[in-house]
Amino acid sequence: MKKKRVTKLLGATLALAIGCVTAFSNVGVVKVMGKELSESEKVELSDDEIKSLLDEKNYSFTRDSVHDPSVIDGRNGYYYVFGSHAAVSKTNDFMNWTNVCTDNKADSTLFGKVGSDGKVSAVSFDEAFNNNETKEVTVLVDGKETKVDFGNFDAEAWNTARDNFTVNGNMWAPDVIYNDTMNKWCMYLSLNGSKWNSSIILLTADDVEGPYVYQGPVMYSGFSTTKEALSYKNTDLELAIGDLEALPEKYDKADSSQWGEYWPHAIDPCVFYDEEGKLWLAYGSWSGGIYVIELDETTGLRDYTVKYDSDFEEKGKSVTTDEYFGKKIAGGHYVSGEGSYIQHIGDYYYLFMSYGFYSPEGGYNMRIFRSETPDGNYVDTTGQDAKYTSFALNYNADWGTIKDYRGDRLMTNYQWDSMDTPEVSQGQTLLW
Protein backbone atom coordinates (compact mmCIF):
# COMPACT_ATOMS: atom_id res chain seq x y z
CA MET A 1 0.00 0.00 0.00
CA LYS A 2 1.36 3.41 -0.94
CA LYS A 3 2.84 5.40 1.95
CA LYS A 4 2.40 9.15 2.38
CA ARG A 5 4.83 11.34 4.28
CA VAL A 6 3.24 13.31 7.12
CA THR A 7 5.01 15.82 9.39
CA LYS A 8 4.35 16.80 12.99
CA LEU A 9 1.78 19.33 11.80
CA LEU A 10 -0.55 16.53 10.75
CA GLY A 11 -2.83 16.89 13.77
CA ALA A 12 -3.41 20.58 13.18
CA THR A 13 -3.88 20.02 9.45
CA LEU A 14 -6.50 17.34 10.04
CA ALA A 15 -8.25 19.53 12.59
CA LEU A 16 -8.50 22.26 9.98
CA ALA A 17 -9.77 19.76 7.43
CA ILE A 18 -12.68 18.72 9.64
CA GLY A 19 -13.68 22.32 10.30
CA CYS A 20 -12.49 22.87 13.88
CA VAL A 21 -10.86 26.07 15.13
CA THR A 22 -7.12 25.42 15.01
CA ALA A 23 -3.63 26.89 14.85
CA PHE A 24 -0.07 25.62 14.98
CA SER A 25 1.65 25.55 18.38
CA ASN A 26 5.34 25.17 19.12
CA VAL A 27 5.11 21.82 20.82
CA GLY A 28 8.28 19.78 21.23
CA VAL A 29 6.62 16.36 20.98
CA VAL A 30 3.52 15.20 19.14
CA LYS A 31 1.74 11.84 18.99
CA VAL A 32 0.82 10.34 15.63
CA MET A 33 -0.90 6.96 15.64
CA GLY A 34 0.26 6.45 19.23
CA LYS A 35 3.91 7.20 18.45
CA GLU A 36 5.70 10.08 20.19
CA LEU A 37 7.76 12.09 17.71
CA SER A 38 10.17 14.94 18.21
CA GLU A 39 9.96 18.11 16.12
CA SER A 40 12.53 16.85 13.64
CA GLU A 41 11.03 13.39 13.12
CA LYS A 42 8.59 12.33 10.43
CA VAL A 43 6.37 9.28 10.07
CA GLU A 44 4.97 7.59 6.99
CA LEU A 45 1.30 6.69 7.15
CA SER A 46 -0.65 4.45 4.84
CA ASP A 47 -3.88 5.49 3.19
CA ASP A 48 -5.80 3.36 5.68
CA GLU A 49 -4.00 4.99 8.61
CA ILE A 50 -4.79 8.47 7.34
CA LYS A 51 -8.41 7.43 6.78
CA SER A 52 -8.51 6.13 10.35
CA LEU A 53 -7.28 9.46 11.69
CA LEU A 54 -10.22 11.15 9.98
CA ASP A 55 -12.69 8.76 11.57
CA GLU A 56 -14.79 10.59 14.14
CA LYS A 57 -13.99 7.91 16.71
CA ASN A 58 -10.34 9.00 16.71
CA TYR A 59 -10.78 12.66 17.53
CA SER A 60 -12.88 14.82 19.75
CA PHE A 61 -13.60 18.50 19.85
CA THR A 62 -15.48 20.89 22.10
CA ARG A 63 -16.74 24.15 20.69
CA ASP A 64 -17.18 27.53 22.33
CA SER A 65 -18.48 30.79 20.90
CA VAL A 66 -16.21 33.86 20.87
CA HIS A 67 -16.88 36.73 18.46
CA ASP A 68 -14.09 39.02 17.10
CA PRO A 69 -11.38 36.70 18.44
CA SER A 70 -7.87 37.65 19.51
CA VAL A 71 -5.69 34.64 20.34
CA ILE A 72 -2.69 34.73 22.69
CA ASP A 73 -0.27 32.27 24.26
CA GLY A 74 -1.14 32.36 27.96
CA ARG A 75 2.36 31.17 28.96
CA ASN A 76 0.73 28.50 31.13
CA GLY A 77 0.21 25.68 28.63
CA TYR A 78 -2.97 27.21 27.21
CA TYR A 79 -3.86 29.49 24.35
CA TYR A 80 -6.64 32.00 25.07
CA VAL A 81 -9.13 33.58 22.73
CA PHE A 82 -10.60 36.92 23.87
CA GLY A 83 -13.63 38.33 22.10
CA SER A 84 -16.38 40.91 22.12
CA HIS A 85 -18.84 41.22 25.01
CA ALA A 86 -16.39 39.76 27.57
CA ALA A 87 -16.26 36.28 26.06
CA VAL A 88 -13.08 34.26 26.72
CA SER A 89 -12.16 30.66 25.99
CA LYS A 90 -8.98 28.57 26.27
CA THR A 91 -7.43 25.45 24.77
CA ASN A 92 -4.26 23.39 24.93
CA ASP A 93 -4.83 21.53 21.65
CA PHE A 94 -6.88 23.93 19.45
CA MET A 95 -9.53 21.21 19.27
CA ASN A 96 -11.19 21.38 22.67
CA TRP A 97 -12.19 24.78 24.01
CA THR A 98 -13.11 25.55 27.61
CA ASN A 99 -15.17 28.60 28.46
CA VAL A 100 -13.47 31.06 30.84
CA CYS A 101 -15.98 33.91 30.66
CA THR A 102 -19.42 34.05 29.08
CA ASP A 103 -20.78 36.91 27.02
CA ASN A 104 -22.09 39.84 29.05
CA LYS A 105 -22.50 38.03 32.38
CA ALA A 106 -22.73 40.58 35.16
CA ASP A 107 -20.98 38.18 37.56
CA SER A 108 -18.04 37.58 35.20
CA THR A 109 -14.62 37.56 36.86
CA LEU A 110 -12.90 39.13 33.83
CA PHE A 111 -12.86 42.69 35.20
CA GLY A 112 -11.77 44.01 38.59
CA LYS A 113 -11.08 47.00 40.81
CA VAL A 114 -8.37 47.78 43.35
CA GLY A 115 -9.73 48.03 46.88
CA SER A 116 -8.54 50.23 49.75
CA ASP A 117 -6.37 47.31 50.90
CA GLY A 118 -4.59 47.29 47.53
CA LYS A 119 -6.08 43.97 46.51
CA VAL A 120 -7.93 43.39 43.25
CA SER A 121 -11.42 41.97 43.41
CA ALA A 122 -13.71 41.04 40.53
CA VAL A 123 -16.52 43.44 39.62
CA SER A 124 -19.29 43.55 37.04
CA PHE A 125 -18.69 45.35 33.75
CA ASP A 126 -21.22 47.91 35.06
CA GLU A 127 -18.60 49.06 37.59
CA ALA A 128 -15.34 48.31 35.79
CA PHE A 129 -14.78 51.37 33.57
CA ASN A 130 -15.77 54.39 35.68
CA ASN A 131 -12.49 55.32 37.40
CA ASN A 132 -9.05 54.64 35.97
CA GLU A 133 -6.04 53.62 38.06
CA THR A 134 -3.34 55.63 36.24
CA LYS A 135 -2.58 58.85 38.13
CA GLU A 136 0.10 60.57 36.06
CA VAL A 137 1.65 60.44 32.61
CA THR A 138 4.60 62.07 30.86
CA VAL A 139 3.93 64.80 28.30
CA LEU A 140 5.98 67.45 26.52
CA VAL A 141 5.88 70.90 28.11
CA ASP A 142 7.93 73.48 26.19
CA GLY A 143 9.80 70.60 24.62
CA LYS A 144 10.67 68.95 27.94
CA GLU A 145 9.30 65.66 29.23
CA THR A 146 7.19 66.46 32.27
CA LYS A 147 5.02 64.33 34.53
CA VAL A 148 1.47 65.66 34.84
CA ASP A 149 -1.81 64.58 36.42
CA PHE A 150 -3.57 62.11 34.12
CA GLY A 151 -7.07 62.77 35.41
CA ASN A 152 -10.12 60.59 35.95
CA PHE A 153 -11.91 59.31 32.88
CA ASP A 154 -15.33 57.68 33.04
CA ALA A 155 -15.15 55.50 29.94
CA GLU A 156 -18.68 54.16 30.41
CA ALA A 157 -20.12 57.70 30.49
CA TRP A 158 -18.53 58.41 27.11
CA ASN A 159 -19.84 55.42 25.17
CA THR A 160 -23.32 55.51 26.76
CA ALA A 161 -23.91 59.25 26.28
CA ARG A 162 -26.21 58.88 23.26
CA ASP A 163 -29.36 56.93 22.37
CA ASN A 164 -29.71 55.07 25.69
CA PHE A 165 -26.65 52.97 24.89
CA THR A 166 -25.29 50.59 27.52
CA VAL A 167 -21.92 48.97 28.18
CA ASN A 168 -23.65 45.62 27.95
CA GLY A 169 -23.33 44.45 24.34
CA ASN A 170 -20.86 47.20 23.38
CA MET A 171 -17.53 45.86 24.68
CA TRP A 172 -15.92 45.07 21.35
CA ALA A 173 -12.91 43.28 19.90
CA PRO A 174 -10.30 43.27 22.70
CA ASP A 175 -6.64 42.66 21.91
CA VAL A 176 -4.53 41.17 24.71
CA ILE A 177 -0.73 41.15 24.90
CA TYR A 178 1.88 40.59 27.60
CA ASN A 179 3.94 43.71 28.32
CA ASP A 180 7.37 42.63 29.59
CA THR A 181 8.23 46.15 30.78
CA MET A 182 5.12 46.37 32.94
CA ASN A 183 5.09 42.64 33.77
CA LYS A 184 1.35 42.75 33.11
CA TRP A 185 -1.22 41.28 30.79
CA CYS A 186 -2.65 44.22 28.88
CA MET A 187 -6.14 44.24 27.40
CA TYR A 188 -7.02 46.93 24.86
CA LEU A 189 -10.81 47.08 24.64
CA SER A 190 -13.27 49.04 22.48
CA LEU A 191 -16.24 50.60 24.23
CA ASN A 192 -18.53 51.34 21.31
CA GLY A 193 -20.98 54.24 21.19
CA SER A 194 -23.90 54.86 18.86
CA LYS A 195 -22.54 57.88 16.93
CA TRP A 196 -18.76 57.63 16.89
CA ASN A 197 -18.60 58.32 20.67
CA SER A 198 -16.34 55.37 21.32
CA SER A 199 -13.09 54.85 23.17
CA ILE A 200 -10.28 52.35 23.34
CA ILE A 201 -9.22 51.70 26.92
CA LEU A 202 -6.40 49.79 28.61
CA LEU A 203 -6.91 47.27 31.39
CA THR A 204 -4.16 45.20 33.05
CA ALA A 205 -3.97 41.98 35.04
CA ASP A 206 -1.38 39.82 36.76
CA ASP A 207 -3.04 36.66 35.47
CA VAL A 208 -4.06 36.09 31.86
CA GLU A 209 -7.57 35.15 33.02
CA GLY A 210 -7.95 38.37 35.00
CA PRO A 211 -9.41 40.20 36.70
CA TYR A 212 -8.40 43.12 34.44
CA VAL A 213 -8.30 46.58 36.03
CA TYR A 214 -9.08 49.75 34.04
CA GLN A 215 -5.91 51.85 33.68
CA GLY A 216 -7.05 54.63 31.37
CA PRO A 217 -8.18 55.66 27.89
CA VAL A 218 -5.88 55.32 24.89
CA MET A 219 -8.01 56.88 22.14
CA TYR A 220 -11.35 58.71 21.82
CA SER A 221 -13.62 59.52 18.90
CA GLY A 222 -16.85 61.46 18.48
CA PHE A 223 -16.18 64.78 20.28
CA SER A 224 -19.32 66.90 20.67
CA THR A 225 -19.90 70.62 21.23
CA THR A 226 -23.60 70.17 22.06
CA LYS A 227 -23.46 67.34 24.58
CA GLU A 228 -21.51 68.02 27.79
CA ALA A 229 -20.80 64.34 28.44
CA LEU A 230 -18.93 64.24 25.12
CA SER A 231 -16.87 67.40 25.62
CA TYR A 232 -13.20 67.15 24.72
CA LYS A 233 -12.55 68.25 28.32
CA ASN A 234 -13.55 64.72 29.36
CA THR A 235 -10.83 63.20 27.15
CA ASP A 236 -7.06 63.20 26.78
CA LEU A 237 -7.14 65.54 23.76
CA GLU A 238 -5.28 68.37 25.51
CA LEU A 239 -2.67 65.99 26.92
CA ALA A 240 -1.92 64.93 23.36
CA ILE A 241 -2.00 68.24 21.48
CA GLY A 242 -1.79 70.96 24.15
CA ASP A 243 -4.17 73.37 25.92
CA LEU A 244 -7.26 74.42 23.95
CA GLU A 245 -9.72 77.29 24.32
CA ALA A 246 -12.33 75.35 22.38
CA LEU A 247 -12.70 72.16 20.35
CA PRO A 248 -10.90 72.66 17.02
CA GLU A 249 -13.45 73.05 14.23
CA LYS A 250 -12.00 70.12 12.28
CA TYR A 251 -13.06 67.73 15.08
CA ASP A 252 -16.57 69.18 15.44
CA LYS A 253 -18.24 66.64 13.14
CA ALA A 254 -20.04 64.07 15.29
CA ASP A 255 -23.20 66.13 15.86
CA SER A 256 -23.73 66.55 12.11
CA SER A 257 -23.10 62.84 11.38
CA GLN A 258 -20.06 63.79 9.28
CA TRP A 259 -17.48 62.30 11.61
CA GLY A 260 -16.81 59.25 9.45
CA GLU A 261 -16.19 61.38 6.37
CA TYR A 262 -13.11 62.81 8.06
CA TRP A 263 -11.98 60.84 11.10
CA PRO A 264 -11.42 57.29 12.34
CA HIS A 265 -13.63 55.41 14.76
CA ALA A 266 -11.94 54.46 18.07
CA ILE A 267 -12.63 50.73 17.82
CA ASP A 268 -10.90 47.48 16.78
CA PRO A 269 -7.53 47.89 18.55
CA CYS A 270 -4.45 45.95 17.46
CA VAL A 271 -1.34 46.38 19.61
CA PHE A 272 2.08 45.19 18.47
CA TYR A 273 5.81 45.64 19.02
CA ASP A 274 8.07 46.70 16.17
CA GLU A 275 11.55 45.28 15.61
CA GLU A 276 13.10 47.96 17.86
CA GLY A 277 10.80 47.07 20.75
CA LYS A 278 8.51 50.08 20.29
CA LEU A 279 4.84 49.52 21.12
CA TRP A 280 2.16 50.59 18.61
CA LEU A 281 -1.62 50.77 18.42
CA ALA A 282 -3.47 50.31 15.13
CA TYR A 283 -7.18 51.07 15.26
CA GLY A 284 -10.21 52.18 13.24
CA SER A 285 -12.89 50.71 11.03
CA TRP A 286 -14.41 51.73 7.68
CA SER A 287 -15.34 55.46 7.60
CA GLY A 288 -12.23 57.56 8.25
CA GLY A 289 -9.82 54.65 7.89
CA ILE A 290 -7.18 52.81 9.91
CA TYR A 291 -4.65 54.81 11.95
CA VAL A 292 -1.60 54.07 14.11
CA ILE A 293 -0.09 55.83 17.12
CA GLU A 294 2.90 55.01 19.33
CA LEU A 295 2.32 53.77 22.88
CA ASP A 296 4.45 54.14 26.01
CA GLU A 297 5.94 50.75 26.91
CA THR A 298 6.15 51.71 30.60
CA THR A 299 2.43 52.50 30.98
CA GLY A 300 0.80 50.80 27.98
CA LEU A 301 -1.03 54.07 27.32
CA ARG A 302 -0.46 56.61 24.56
CA ASP A 303 3.05 58.01 24.32
CA TYR A 304 2.30 61.70 24.83
CA THR A 305 5.90 62.67 24.05
CA VAL A 306 5.42 61.66 20.41
CA LYS A 307 3.97 64.45 18.29
CA TYR A 308 2.26 64.12 14.90
CA ASP A 309 1.95 66.65 12.09
CA SER A 310 -1.35 67.54 10.49
CA ASP A 311 -2.14 67.78 6.78
CA PHE A 312 -5.88 68.37 7.31
CA GLU A 313 -5.81 71.94 5.97
CA GLU A 314 -4.20 70.68 2.77
CA LYS A 315 -6.07 67.39 2.23
CA GLY A 316 -9.40 67.68 4.06
CA LYS A 317 -11.26 64.36 3.91
CA SER A 318 -8.10 62.73 2.51
CA VAL A 319 -6.14 63.67 5.64
CA THR A 320 -3.25 61.25 6.27
CA THR A 321 -1.77 62.53 9.55
CA ASP A 322 -3.25 64.35 12.54
CA GLU A 323 -2.01 65.72 15.87
CA TYR A 324 -4.45 63.58 17.87
CA PHE A 325 -5.39 60.58 15.73
CA GLY A 326 -1.86 59.87 14.51
CA LYS A 327 -1.00 58.52 11.08
CA LYS A 328 -3.46 56.99 8.63
CA ILE A 329 -2.27 53.73 7.09
CA ALA A 330 -5.36 52.46 5.24
CA GLY A 331 -8.88 53.25 4.08
CA GLY A 332 -10.78 56.51 4.34
CA HIS A 333 -13.82 57.93 2.51
CA TYR A 334 -16.06 55.17 3.89
CA VAL A 335 -14.18 52.51 1.94
CA SER A 336 -14.60 49.18 3.72
CA GLY A 337 -11.83 47.84 5.93
CA GLU A 338 -11.77 46.69 9.54
CA GLY A 339 -10.09 44.36 12.02
CA SER A 340 -6.55 45.52 11.22
CA TYR A 341 -3.67 43.29 12.34
CA ILE A 342 0.03 44.04 11.81
CA GLN A 343 2.78 41.41 11.95
CA HIS A 344 6.50 41.73 11.17
CA ILE A 345 7.57 38.89 8.85
CA GLY A 346 11.00 38.80 7.22
CA ASP A 347 11.92 42.32 6.14
CA TYR A 348 8.42 43.79 6.17
CA TYR A 349 5.45 44.73 8.33
CA TYR A 350 2.31 43.11 6.97
CA LEU A 351 -1.12 44.70 7.38
CA PHE A 352 -4.03 42.26 7.35
CA MET A 353 -7.58 43.64 7.01
CA SER A 354 -11.13 42.42 6.48
CA TYR A 355 -13.07 43.99 3.62
CA GLY A 356 -16.82 43.85 3.12
CA PHE A 357 -19.67 43.09 5.46
CA TYR A 358 -19.79 39.91 7.57
CA SER A 359 -22.96 38.36 6.13
CA PRO A 360 -23.46 35.76 3.40
CA GLU A 361 -24.19 38.45 0.81
CA GLY A 362 -21.70 40.92 2.28
CA GLY A 363 -18.59 39.94 0.34
CA TYR A 364 -16.43 39.46 3.46
CA ASN A 365 -12.80 38.83 2.53
CA MET A 366 -9.29 39.28 3.90
CA ARG A 367 -6.63 41.48 2.27
CA ILE A 368 -2.94 42.09 2.88
CA PHE A 369 -0.49 44.97 2.32
CA ARG A 370 3.12 45.45 3.42
CA SER A 371 5.47 48.23 4.50
CA GLU A 372 9.11 48.61 5.48
CA THR A 373 8.08 50.58 8.58
CA PRO A 374 5.28 50.00 11.10
CA ASP A 375 3.50 53.27 10.25
CA GLY A 376 3.48 52.81 6.47
CA ASN A 377 3.17 53.35 3.64
CA TYR A 378 1.44 49.98 3.18
CA VAL A 379 1.12 48.80 -0.42
CA ASP A 380 -0.01 45.66 -2.24
CA THR A 381 1.98 43.64 -4.78
CA THR A 382 1.06 46.10 -7.54
CA GLY A 383 2.27 49.06 -5.50
CA GLN A 384 -1.20 50.44 -4.73
CA ASP A 385 -1.45 52.28 -1.42
CA ALA A 386 -3.83 50.97 1.25
CA LYS A 387 -5.07 54.56 1.77
CA TYR A 388 -7.88 55.93 -0.39
CA THR A 389 -8.37 59.45 -1.74
CA SER A 390 -12.01 58.93 -2.77
CA PHE A 391 -14.75 56.35 -2.26
CA ALA A 392 -14.51 53.04 -4.14
CA LEU A 393 -16.35 49.77 -3.77
CA ASN A 394 -13.56 47.32 -2.89
CA TYR A 395 -15.52 44.10 -2.31
CA ASN A 396 -18.22 42.04 -4.00
CA ALA A 397 -21.73 42.51 -2.64
CA ASP A 398 -25.24 42.01 -3.92
CA TRP A 399 -25.79 45.77 -4.21
CA GLY A 400 -22.93 46.64 -6.52
CA THR A 401 -20.03 45.62 -8.71
CA ILE A 402 -16.54 45.78 -7.32
CA LYS A 403 -14.66 48.83 -8.58
CA ASP A 404 -11.34 48.57 -6.79
CA TYR A 405 -9.16 45.47 -6.39
CA ARG A 406 -6.59 47.04 -4.08
CA GLY A 407 -4.93 44.64 -1.62
CA ASP A 408 -3.96 41.02 -2.14
CA ARG A 409 -6.89 38.78 -1.27
CA LEU A 410 -6.06 35.92 1.09
CA MET A 411 -9.52 34.49 1.81
CA THR A 412 -12.98 35.30 0.55
CA ASN A 413 -16.63 34.38 0.64
CA TYR A 414 -17.91 32.28 -2.27
CA GLN A 415 -21.09 30.90 -3.78
CA TRP A 416 -21.12 27.92 -6.15
CA ASP A 417 -23.99 27.55 -8.61
CA SER A 418 -25.44 24.81 -6.41
CA MET A 419 -25.56 27.02 -3.30
CA ASP A 420 -28.62 29.05 -2.32
CA THR A 421 -26.60 31.10 0.18
CA PRO A 422 -22.94 32.19 -0.11
CA GLU A 423 -20.35 30.84 2.30
CA VAL A 424 -19.03 33.57 4.59
CA SER A 425 -15.27 34.07 4.71
CA GLN A 426 -13.33 34.14 7.96
CA GLY A 427 -12.51 37.57 9.31
CA GLN A 428 -9.32 38.43 11.18
CA THR A 429 -8.12 36.20 13.99
CA LEU A 430 -5.12 37.54 15.87
CA LEU A 431 -2.45 35.11 17.04
CA TRP A 432 0.15 36.77 19.22
Side-chain angles (χ1 to χ4, degrees):
M1 190 172 292
K2 185 178 179 181
K3 297 280 187 176
K4 297 182 179 179
R5 189 167 297 278
V6 183
T7 71
K8 77 184 185 76
L9 297 181
L10 175 67
T13 304
L14 291 178
L16 183 60
I18 62 176
C20 298
V21 176
T22 187
F24 302 130
S25 58
N26 295 318
V27 294
V29 176
V30 67
K31 274 191 175 183
V32 177
M33 299 301 290
K35 304 173 183 177
E36 287 193 354
L37 305 174
S38 68
E39 290 186 3
S40 60
E41 290 181 291
K42 296 179 180 180
V43 63
E44 290 186 349
L45 302 179
S46 67
D47 288 336
D48 286 343
E49 287 171 329
I50 293 175
K51 192 173 182 180
S52 176
L53 282 170
L54 290 172
D55 191 316
E56 289 186 9
K57 298 176 183 178
N58 292 309
Y59 66 82
S60 66
F61 61 89
T62 305
R63 300 182 185 275
D64 197 18
S65 178
V66 178
H67 184 60
D68 295 330
S70 171
V71 184
I72 186 169
D73 183 352
R75 302 187 178 191
N76 59 0
Y78 285 91
Y79 280 84
Y80 288 79
V81 56
F82 290 81
S84 291
H85 321 310
V88 185
S89 191
K90 67 180 179 181
T91 183
N92 59 6
D93 60 6
F94 289 98
M95 294 279 286
N96 296 283
W97 295 85
T98 301
N99 181 266
V100 177
C101 293
T102 303
D103 286 13
N104 294 344
K105 285 189 68 175
D107 60 352
S108 167
T109 59
L110 186 61
F111 304 116
K113 279 193 172 182
V114 179
S116 57
D117 59 359
K119 295 181 179 179
V120 177
S121 57
V123 296
S124 164
F125 55 77
D126 290 321
E127 304 175 54
F129 315 125
N130 305 126
N131 298 290
N132 52 279
E133 286 296 317
T134 301
K135 301 307 177 187
E136 64 178 20
V137 291
T138 301
V139 302
L140 289 182
V141 178
D142 296 328
K144 296 181 180 180
E145 293 188 2
T146 306
K147 290 187 180 297
V148 299
D149 177 61
F150 188 47
N152 292 316
F153 299 96
D154 188 335
E156 179 183 5
W158 186 267
N159 87 296
T160 61
R162 294 183 186 269
D163 302 327
N164 297 315
F165 251 45
T166 63
V167 171
N168 187 6
N170 290 293
M171 297 171 283
W172 285 6
D175 192 16
V176 177
I177 68 165
Y178 189 79
N179 185 314
D180 286 308
T181 303
M182 299 170 63
N183 293 317
K184 294 281 188 180
W185 293 97
C186 293
M187 174 189 292
Y188 294 85
L189 176 66
S190 306
L191 296 184
N192 176 61
S194 63
K195 293 181 180 177
W196 315 109
N197 55 302
S198 302
S199 63
I200 294 171
I201 63 174
L202 167 66
L203 305 100
T204 65
D206 293 320
D207 186 277
V208 67
E209 296 188 14
Y212 284 83
V213 177
Y214 172 42
Q215 298 301 312
V218 183
M219 180 59 60
Y220 284 94
S221 60
F223 308 116
S224 171
T225 54
T226 63
K227 202 166 186 64
E228 182 61 30
L230 298 176
S231 167
Y232 73 93
K233 290 292 185 180
N234 299 326
T235 77
D236 68 338
L237 182 62
E238 290 182 292
L239 287 172
I241 70 175
D243 293 339
L244 299 169
E245 294 183 359
L247 179 68
E249 184 179 353
K250 65 178 181 178
Y251 298 142
D252 190 11
K253 307 294 182 184
D255 295 315
S256 62
S257 300
Q258 290 183 323
W259 183 275
E261 296 178 18
Y262 293 87
W263 302 116
H265 197 181
I267 59 174
D268 289 356
C270 168
V271 178
F272 65 98
Y273 286 95
D274 66 19
E275 288 303 281
E276 277 67 56
K278 186 64 185 175
L279 193 60
W280 294 80
L281 166 71
Y283 69 98
S285 176
W286 286 62
S287 57
I290 308 297
Y291 278 68
V292 294
I293 62 168
E294 293 187 48
L295 302 181
D296 182 346
E297 296 80 25
T298 64
T299 65
L301 300 169
R302 182 188 185 115
D303 189 339
Y304 293 101
T305 68
V306 176
K307 299 299 180 181
Y308 302 91
D309 295 327
S310 173
D311 59 8
F312 176 83
E313 295 299 327
E314 173 190 354
K315 297 184 177 180
K317 294 180 182 180
S318 295
V319 57
T320 64
T321 181
D322 178 73
E323 303 103 307
Y324 181 69
F325 293 110
K327 188 172 181 181
K328 183 189 291 184
I329 59 172
H333 295 275
Y334 274 100
V335 177
S336 82
E338 63 181 7
S340 62
Y341 175 58
I342 296 175
Q343 176 78 47
H344 188 271
I345 305 171
D347 296 327
Y348 295 93
Y349 293 88
Y350 288 85
L351 168 65
F352 300 83
M353 296 173 59
S354 293
Y355 281 12
F357 183 73
Y358 53 91
S359 68
E361 68 279 1
Y364 217 38
N365 66 94
M366 292 169 57
R367 303 285 178 130
I368 185 172
F369 301 83
R370 76 178 189 184
S371 169
E372 293 182 351
T373 57
D375 57 349
N377 290 336
Y378 284 89
V379 299
D380 63 16
T381 53
T382 66
Q384 294 186 95
D385 199 303
K387 298 187 296 294
Y388 283 78
T389 56
S390 62
F391 174 77
L393 184 62
N394 61 355
Y395 64 97
N396 291 314
D398 63 352
W399 51 270
T401 303
I402 189 168
K403 303 294 185 182
D404 191 293
Y405 288 92
R406 198 172 313 190
D408 296 283
R409 183 153 47 179
L410 297 180
M411 304 182 73
T412 188
N413 73 328
Y414 62 91
Q415 183 176 14
W416 306 128
D417 292 340
S418 60
M419 299 170 63
D420 294 329
T421 303
E423 187 71 22
V424 181
S425 172
Q426 294 84 352
Q428 299 295 4
T429 298
L430 312 184
L431 177 59
W432 186 267

